[in-house]
Amino acid sequence: MNAPDRLPATLPPVTEDPRYIGQPVPRQGSRRLTQGQGRYVDDLLLPRMAHVVYWRSPVAHLRVLGIERAAAAAMPGVLAVVDGHEIAAVCRPWVAVLGHLAGMKSAPQHALAIDRACWQGEPVVAIVAETRAQAEDALQALDVQWEALPAALDMETALDPATPLIHEALGDNLCFTRSLDTGGVDAAFAAAAVTAEATFHFGRHTGVTLEPRCQVADWNAAEGRLTVYHSQQAPHMMQDLYARQFGLPENAVRVVCQDVGGSFGIKVHAYPDDFATVALSMLLKRPVKFVADRLESFTSDIHAREHRVHGRIAASAEGDILAFEIDDLTGIGPYSMFPRTSAIEGNQVVNLTGGPYRHRQYRALLKVVFQNKTPTCQYRGVGHPIACAVTEGLVDLAARRLGMDPLALRRRNVIPDDAYPCAGVSGIRFEVLSHEACLRRLEQMIDYPRLRAEQAELRARGIHRGIGFATVIELTNPSAAFYGVGGARIASQDGATARLDPQGHLTVMVSVGEQGQGTEGIYAQIAADAVGVDIAKVRVVTGDTDVTPYGGGTWASRGAGIGGEAVLQAGLALRANILKVAEQMLRREAAGLAVRRAVVDAASGEPLLPLHELGRVAYFRTDTLPAGFTPELMVTRHYVQRDHPFIFTNGVQASLVEVDVDTGFVRLLKHWCVEDCGRVINPMLVDEQMRGAIVQGIGGALYEECLYDADGQLRNGTMADYLVPMAAEMPDIEVAHVQTPTASSQLGAKGAGEAGTAGAPAAVMNAINDALAPFGAQVLSQPITPEKILRALGKV
């Protein structure tokens, strides 16, 4: 790989003694995990622990007429059969809206449905038993009488007068609407030499994490203290929510998230059964474990991405993009999800559509509607894949109308690298991006002229290959503008505590947790460089609200940029304190000292004082230090990004596919990605983050969709029927980087966890349509299945 196109003229002070930042260091924890020593929630066994299963609504909409629980309660091992009224006595209802999304509404929601269930899978009755098997056996003996109610299922008709209201008190099935208009869109389209329009459809899909959602709630009545062991992304958020919903002081709630087997946004929400499990522990005064099985995960985990977007683009004869216009309709289930809300994804689509380009006219209309399906909310990418696919699909249509190469059209229209800082047409603010550098790098990687020549040669032989591109922007490192301004108590800051132990080892406690993405590894690298110790002597602790500083957790690609900066600042502060101790012990000015695995002479590098000796004196022989001097070898620092609402990253992706026009099957041949995530902390980890995210994006583009029948029944809620991308289907994915560090932090890191998912669907879709271009066919409905391709070709 060549050197990055753009590097800062000067590097932050942390690189004065570079060792680990920027290096492909194997991540901490991998040895433990590969030896089967992971600490997952389902491994946890507590004294007197009971198990809960939930009777969930079998239909899209029902009214509860009665619950006959005697037979279930008499089953062996059963401790309690509990309904929504009993849970509501200890757990308050919630309404998931955000103040800055003007006019947004949702109905009050309970931990267990009371009187009425609004989607297939909503929990209604809890059965608690000594073992999971006993609880499941008793579930068969539970008799819930219910009647089916009319259901609102089709988002296209959700607002029609004839469609049943899901919540009569709300007056209609509209959750949120937003419009944006720069004012010159009609004139731009009237003046355009070329216009193109299309309707894009995006199917629902879900996260399918390796570890399902699970928790153990342990209410200690004697201490008035709640401990929840959770597979979650945001421990402090859940601590706050449990405290508020159950009327507890926040310091009476501890949330522990140790190893988490994947999350992807699925585990950043507060689910009804989360609260119900805690309520059951409080009612029974004993630990209660809930583990979703794979079947119920399909109807209880959030879904995402159900959108219909009609879009238009206008361009001049020379190939300048003049305007975009979109109309986005999305269905979110019967409630907005708590506490982040289900309107965020559609709001992101409005903000991000057209984002990489320098046009100045844009109009958007968003409608978010309720429906009797599983609730949707934030999943990896949160609106980015929709906005990117619509934008890039329209750009390709314009290029085709103009007779212009699609890569050349992008080069002509991206915001130039020397134009920053600037604002996008939707009002989003860009600090520094590198579209031109990324496009240059990509064109070198793929050998574009050769690919086009090969494509033409193969077409002459009846082999149809396509090349697709997607330019990407991704919001990362969010400020309080994301949630805090709307009233959601979700921290935009993160914290880190760094402690030098007496033997000279370093313990770092961070509020951003480990979900399998390798944050513990990069925090060890940052801390080792910041303090000046060997990485083998660094231990990282995350995921425990009793131990780690307060913070937001893992979401919005913020682990490196916000959590990493907190670690850096804590490490630098600890190093300064180490030098203050050394100054007293050595009777030498701290300015002439440095920490390089030991305290050394800064000029010559001569070792002067081992860290274990400094620790021994600081902790055990303070009598040898001057009076009035107290060693401080444990420091905490927090970091919050305040310079911009978000720190944007960017990149570009390309996909090479082959379409069998007789069967409609798509073969993925190669995928390329150039990503600018600012300072790269660990190239090995960020490359694998990108590859994993790209695979998830390909899943949405080609395979994954939650399919419902006319009655609101999920048709494919098993791993036998719900398709996910497997190793055999995936192409080789080549990743490269351009580095434009953010000036909002000393570390300069942006995020990278979602950018692959954001761009891959657009690149794959455009590649398929490039392959179908000789037939005058196109497919703009994801997932792009063989049936849809054959329909576009007029073969079925």
Side-chain angles (χ1 to χ4, degrees):
M1 188 181 299
N2 296 328
D5 285 24
R6 298 175 66 186
L7 282 172
T10 59
L11 296 174
V14 70
T15 56
E16 291 172 355
D17 182 28
R19 283 177 295 245
Y20 301 112
I21 292 176
Q23 299 303 311
V25 179
R27 68 179 186 175
Q28 286 196 341
S30 57
R31 186 187 301 269
R32 177 176 60 82
L33 293 172
T34 55
Q35 292 181 0
Q37 298 299 311
R39 300 181 297 274
Y40 297 95
V41 172
D42 197 35
D43 298 325
L44 189 63
L45 298 174
L46 298 180
R48 301 179 64 247
M49 186 170 70
H51 298 257
V52 61
V53 299
Y54 292 101
W55 188 90
R56 298 178 182 273
S57 174
V59 296
H61 200 188
L62 65 76
R63 177 179 290 112
V64 178
L65 302 177
I67 301 171
E68 295 294 335
R69 64 181 85 187
M75 293 285 285
V78 172
L79 301 170
V81 181
V82 182
D83 66 13
H85 293 282
E86 294 164 284
I87 296 294
V90 294
C91 179
R92 299 165 179 164
W94 59 88
V95 177
V97 296
L98 288 171
H100 64 304
L101 300 182
M104 183 184 180
K105 60 182 186 282
S106 187
Q109 188 176 2
H110 288 269
L112 293 183
I114 296 177
D115 302 328
R116 195 165 57 94
C118 295
W119 82 88
Q120 181 199 16
E122 183 173 6
V124 179
V125 183
I127 297 182
V128 187
E130 297 282 359
T131 69
R132 172 69 180 245
Q134 289 172 331
E136 290 185 347
D137 287 345
L139 194 65
Q140 311 308 311
L142 183 70
D143 182 13
V144 180
Q145 293 95 45
W146 54 271
E147 66 172 347
L149 297 174
L153 300 168
D154 186 353
M155 67 182 184
E156 296 283 357
T157 61
L159 301 179
D160 291 355
T163 299
L165 291 182
I166 299 176
H167 306 291
E168 290 188 5
L170 297 182
D172 55 31
N173 290 327
L174 181 66
C175 170
F176 176 64
T177 186
R178 180 189 172 195
S179 60
L180 188 156
D181 193 340
T182 59
V185 174
D186 291 333
F189 273 91
V194 164
T195 65
E197 63 183 291
T199 300
F200 301 80
H201 291 91
F202 301 87
R204 278 180 167 242
H205 49 277
T206 188
V208 197
T209 54
L210 283 175
E211 179 197 30
R213 289 189 303 108
C214 47
Q215 68 184 123
V216 175
D218 184 11
W219 169 250
N220 187 320
E223 296 182 354
R225 183 162 170 79
L226 173 68
T227 301
V228 182
Y229 302 90
H230 221 320
S231 181
Q232 237 280 342
Q233 296 174 236
H236 284 99
M237 180 194 82
M238 293 308 299
Q239 179 191 39
D240 174 76
L241 292 179
Y242 289 140
R244 286 193 289 142
Q245 297 309 119
F246 293 95
L248 298 170
E250 196 161 343
N251 64 6
V253 180
R254 179 190 182 197
V255 176
V256 181
C257 304
Q258 294 183 322
D259 293 315
V260 176
S263 52
F264 316 128
I266 295 299
K267 297 175 181 176
V268 79
H269 311 292
Y271 289 83
D273 44 42
D274 289 341
F275 295 115
T277 302
V278 170
L280 291 166
S281 179
M282 298 179 78
L283 289 170
L284 298 176
K285 296 180 174 58
R286 62 192 295 172
V288 177
K289 176 186 281 189
F290 165 66
V291 179
D293 65 33
R294 186 62 67 187
L295 298 179
E296 68 181 322
S297 287
F298 275 103
T299 56
S300 66
D301 290 359
I302 61 105
H303 296 173
R305 310 275 204 259
E306 186 174 6
H307 289 250
R308 184 272 295 143
V309 184
H310 184 76
R312 296 200 299 158
I313 188 172
S316 71
E318 295 77 22
D320 293 321
I321 295 173
L322 304 176
F324 284 94
E325 181 178 17
I326 65 165
D327 182 332
D328 181 11
L329 175 68
T330 179
I332 62 163
Y335 299 98
S336 172
M337 197 70 184
F338 192 50
R340 295 169 186 267
T341 84
S342 302
I344 287 291
E345 180 163 85
N347 198 56
Q348 297 281 70
V349 174
V350 172
N351 287 336
L352 299 173
T353 296
Y357 300 106
R358 53 184 172 81
H359 63 286
R360 300 314 306 164
Q361 304 302 332
Y362 176 47
R363 183 160 59 208
L365 175 65
L366 167 69
K367 289 183 179 178
V368 180
V369 298
F370 295 116
Q371 54 187 174
N372 291 112
K373 293 181 180 178
T374 299
T376 70
C377 206
Q378 284 95 313
Y379 166 65
R380 195 172 194 173
V382 195
H384 292 68
I386 295 101
C388 185
V390 170
T391 301
E392 297 302 293
L394 290 172
V395 168
D396 265 25
L397 288 175
R400 210 163 290 145
R401 295 277 175 90
L402 287 163
M404 191 171 181
D405 181 85
L407 192 57
L409 184 62
R410 287 172 171 84
R411 281 198 305 265
R412 183 182 181 93
N413 284 281
V414 292
I415 299 172
D417 291 358
D418 61 1
Y420 299 97
C422 67
V425 69
S426 70
I428 53 180
R429 290 164 52 195
F430 300 125
E431 178 203 16
V432 56
L433 300 176
S434 57
H435 291 300
E436 292 176 321
C438 287
L439 285 166
R440 287 196 301 271
R441 174 67 66 80
L442 180 82
E443 194 165 0
Q444 295 167 0
M445 288 170 65
I446 68 176
D447 192 356
Y448 190 46
R450 181 192 62 80
L451 276 185
R452 285 298 184 194
E454 183 182 64
Q455 180 189 43
E457 177 191 344
L458 290 171
R459 276 182 180 172
R461 293 160 43 194
I463 298 171
H464 297 281
R465 290 187 176 178
I467 307 161
F469 300 100
T471 50
V472 179
I473 56 172
E474 182 204 358
L475 64 85
T476 73
N477 297 10
S479 72
F482 208 159
Y483 292 117
V485 297
R489 295 162 64 89
I490 300 169
S492 55
Q493 69 170 14
D494 272 291
T497 297
R499 182 183 71 218
L500 185 73
D501 297 327
Q503 291 185 346
H505 290 241
L506 188 63
T507 299
V508 181
M509 292 157 279
V510 195
S511 56
V512 178
E514 175 62 63
Q515 316 283 306
Q517 76 276 48
T519 50
E520 289 182 356
I522 65 167
Y523 294 156
Q525 290 177 255
I526 295 167
D529 277 4
V531 178
V533 300
D534 192 294
I535 197 170
K537 293 186 176 182
V538 181
R539 177 173 177 260
V540 177
V541 177
T542 66
D544 188 338
T545 60
D546 263 9
V547 174
T548 64
Y550 206 95
T554 301
W555 48 274
S557 302
R558 61 196 302 281
I562 296 182
E565 181 68 15
V567 172
L568 175 66
Q569 295 304 326
L572 293 175
L574 177 59
R575 181 171 71 181
N577 285 3
I578 289 170
L579 292 177
K580 290 178 184 177
V581 177
E583 182 178 56
Q584 300 300 323
M585 293 177 63
L586 297 171
R587 302 295 192 267
R588 294 178 58 162
E589 290 290 333
L593 303 174
V595 183
R596 297 171 189 162
R597 291 178 170 80
V599 176
V600 302
D601 182 276
S604 68
E606 176 192 0
L608 301 174
L609 180 64
L611 291 179
H612 64 81
E613 176 62 14
L614 183 143
R616 183 188 71 82
V617 171
Y619 285 108
F620 310 125
R621 290 304 310 274
T622 50
D623 60 302
T624 64
L625 298 174
F629 176 79
T630 301
E632 297 283 353
L633 297 182
M634 180 172 177
V635 298
T636 298
R637 292 292 184 271
H638 282 81
Y639 171 71
V640 58
Q641 191 278 120
R642 290 195 178 99
D643 294 348
H644 304 274
F646 311 95
I647 299 298
F648 275 89
T649 71
N650 70 278
V652 59
Q653 296 186 35
S655 185
L656 176 65
V657 307
E658 185 172 299
V659 179
D660 187 324
V661 295
D662 294 319
T663 66
F665 278 88
V666 175
R667 188 157 67 99
L668 299 161
L669 301 176
K670 188 74 180 282
H671 199 96
W672 298 268
C673 173
V674 179
E675 169 68 4
D676 184 346
C677 61
R679 176 69 43 74
V680 173
I681 308 302
N682 186 319
M684 178 170 59
L685 286 179
V686 76
D687 284 3
E688 294 314 308
Q689 275 282 304
M690 293 302 301
R691 290 189 176 96
I694 287 167
V695 168
Q696 279 191 299
I698 290 171
L702 296 180
Y703 304 111
E704 299 184 52
E705 185 173 17
C706 299
L707 299 169
Y708 284 84
D709 67 16
D711 297 318
Q713 295 282 308
L714 186 64
R715 292 163 46 200
N716 61 334
T718 74
M719 292 303 294
D721 302 304
Y722 181 93
L723 301 181
V724 295
M726 306 290 280
E729 286 85 40
M730 288 303 99
D732 182 35
I733 301 172
E734 188 174 338
V735 180
H737 298 278
V738 169
Q739 296 188 55
T740 54
T742 173
S744 66
S745 69
Q746 187 172 344
L747 187 63
K750 306 176 186 178
E754 299 169 280
T757 304
V764 171
M765 177 186 72
N766 284 343
I768 291 170
N769 288 329
D770 184 50
L772 297 178
F775 303 93
Q778 65 180 14
V779 183
L780 302 174
S781 174
Q782 297 182 20
I784 301 174
T785 62
E787 179 185 5
K788 291 177 183 177
I789 290 174
L790 293 178
R791 287 190 184 280
L793 290 168
K795 296 191 175 184
V796 297

